[in-house]
Amino acid sequence: MRLTPALITEATLALGDREGEKAMSMRRIANELGCDPMAIYRHFPNREALLDAVADQIVDEVPPPAEGEPWDERIRAVLTGMRAVALRHPGIAGHVAARPPLGSRGRRYAGGLLAALAEAGLPPADVVRAFQALIAYSAAGLRMAVDAGERDARWHQVSGAMDDLPGDAMPVVGSEEQFEYGLRLLLNGIRVEGRLSTAEGCPQGTPR
Amino acid sequence: MRLTPALITEATLALGDREGEKAMSMRRIANELGCDPMAIYRHFPNREALLDAVADQIVDEVPPPAEGEPWDERIRAVLTGMRAVALRHPGIAGHVAARPPLGSRGRRYAGGLLAALAEAGLPPADVVRAFQALIAYSAAGLRMAVDAGERDARWHQVSGAMDDLPGDAMPVVGSEEQFEYGLRLLLNGIRVEGRLSTAEGCPQGTPR
DNA sequence: ACCTGAACACCGTTCAAGT
DNA sequence: ACCTGAACACCGTTCAAGT
């Protein structure tokens, strides 16, 4: 059977889902496809490029945000959607966390985020800054979740740092709840910046 | 000469500074120390543990925050300080970005951050959540800076997603400026949460 | 009992040799 | 001209054999 980029990325994704990140080696992918490892290099310049393509592919599974929703709700929907999709594909999730998928599919969603941030009232230069901050935070949150799922979970050291804190409900490191809290902080922060730059002032704030 | 953990971490750090992340292999570190690769395993269970120790070691170079400063300034000082130190050690910076150094030295700084967040007026459970959000964001910002310094810099794709935006000053991906903007968003957000939970400030604020 | 280095089971990628 | 698979230059870690 003729080899195509799509066949390769699909086999890679399936292998990663089934056997994890380290199973996605050029040799094992080739084995999966029944071809020579070098055959893959005629469709992708190197392993990194292949993983980028696999990461971009799963973006298709992210549900598009509802049109009528306010800007902050759309941002939340896209970022938690991407997170959920990545966690459904444990093999590639680590790569998504390291390099946000901004291939052709990812680009579409990026446009939606940028539009939402403009709607929030940020000046264009800050739209870009806030966008990058959101992407960076999401990547880090995903990485925490991935690592927390691993056996040796170094992120759990974070709880170790808190031993002397009043014994309170400790959110699970890398949990959905933890991720959403940080996202709320960022959206709070964006709201404040938006208000400042549209000069509506603090006292009678815009809804929520 | 007798091998000690400190000798090993110092040799590893020096090698990484000089020749980058990939130079810090067990074989090359051993070569640097003039010992058998296996000798290292008597001081560290595996390579990951050694890199954790190296990452924790550079925390010593972070200047402690001034005592009199307000909480937000102290948080900014510690996080930008850690970032600066990591960027001074390019070999280990990637590891710091992947796994915040929370060994014995890192723990001390973590305590300072937790205290600052309590001062901001957050309830104890949110102190922990905000702490983890800050650590996650800092890690991601550092990773962007590290990757941006590399030749192939995938993070630059972020700019690619913004082609159709009104041509405005584009902040350099992973730059100090970009990092500080996201930090400001988070601190804005924490301030809002602090006000809500202490029931001061903006009159109509209701927790959601 | 302690230590070491050969060996295992892999990598990504190059490139010369084959068709 | 195209393709392939042997070979290169590495890995982290295990473990048997040596002292």
Side-chain angles (χ1 to χ4, degrees), chain A residues 3-13 26 29-30 33 35-57 95 105:
Chain A
L3 219 53
T4 65
L7 275 174
I8 297 170
T9 55
E10 261 148 47
T12 306
L13 183 61
M26 299 306 264
I29 296 162
L33 289 161
C35 72
D36 190 275
M38 282 304 102
I40 300 171
Y41 283 85
R42 265 187 295 126
H43 298 94
F44 298 96
N46 52 44
R47 183 167 178 268
E48 205 71 23
L50 167 56
L51 293 186
D52 284 349
V54 174
D56 196 53
Q57 180 157 284
H95 190 78
R105 293 163 177 93

Side-chain angles (χ1 to χ4, degrees), chain A residues 48-49 52 72 95 97-103 107 110-111 114 122 124-133 135-137 139-141 143-144 147 150 152-155 157-163 165-166 168-174 177-178 181-182 184-186 188-193 202-206 208, chain B residues 48-49 52 95 97-103 107 110-111 114 122 124-137 139-141 143-144 147 150 152-155 157-166 168-174 177-178 181-182 184-186 188-190 192-193 195-196 202-204 208:
Chain A
E48 205 71 23
D52 284 349
D72 52 349
H95 190 78
R99 321 273 195 179
L102 290 165
R107 228 76 75 77
L114 292 164
L122 297 188
D126 285 356
V127 164
V128 175
R129 293 190 184 91
F131 171 77
Q132 292 186 21
I135 297 289
Y137 174 72
R143 174 161 291 275
M144 287 174 74
D147 289 354
E150 281 171 13
D152 63 342
R154 233 129 327 176
W155 277 98
Q157 291 183 341
V158 175
S159 5
M162 250 104 45
D163 282 349
L165 210 72
D168 215 289
M170 167 78 66
V172 180
V173 179
E177 180 205 358
Q178 169 61 42
Y181 183 82
R184 189 167 98 197
L185 292 184
L186 282 167
N188 277 352
I190 290 166
R191 228 168 273 128
V192 171
E193 293 292 320
C202 173
Q204 290 319 311
T206 48
R208 4 70 160 301
Chain B
E48 206 69 25
D52 285 349
H95 190 78
R99 321 273 195 182
L102 290 165
R107 229 75 75 77
L114 292 164
L122 296 188
D126 285 357
V127 163
V128 175
R129 293 190 183 91
F131 170 77
Q132 293 185 21
L134 287 167
I135 297 289
Y137 174 72
R143 172 161 291 274
M144 287 176 73
D147 289 353
E150 281 171 11
D152 63 342
R154 231 128 329 177
W155 277 98
Q157 291 183 340
V158 175
S159 2
M162 249 104 46
D163 282 350
D164 43 316
L165 210 73
D168 215 289
M170 168 77 68
V172 180
V173 179
E177 179 205 359
Q178 169 61 45
Y181 183 81
R184 189 167 98 199
L185 292 183
L186 282 167
N188 277 352
I190 290 166
V192 171
E193 292 292 321
R195 263 189 237 122
L196 287 178
C202 284
Q204 86 282 31
R208 14 214 237 86

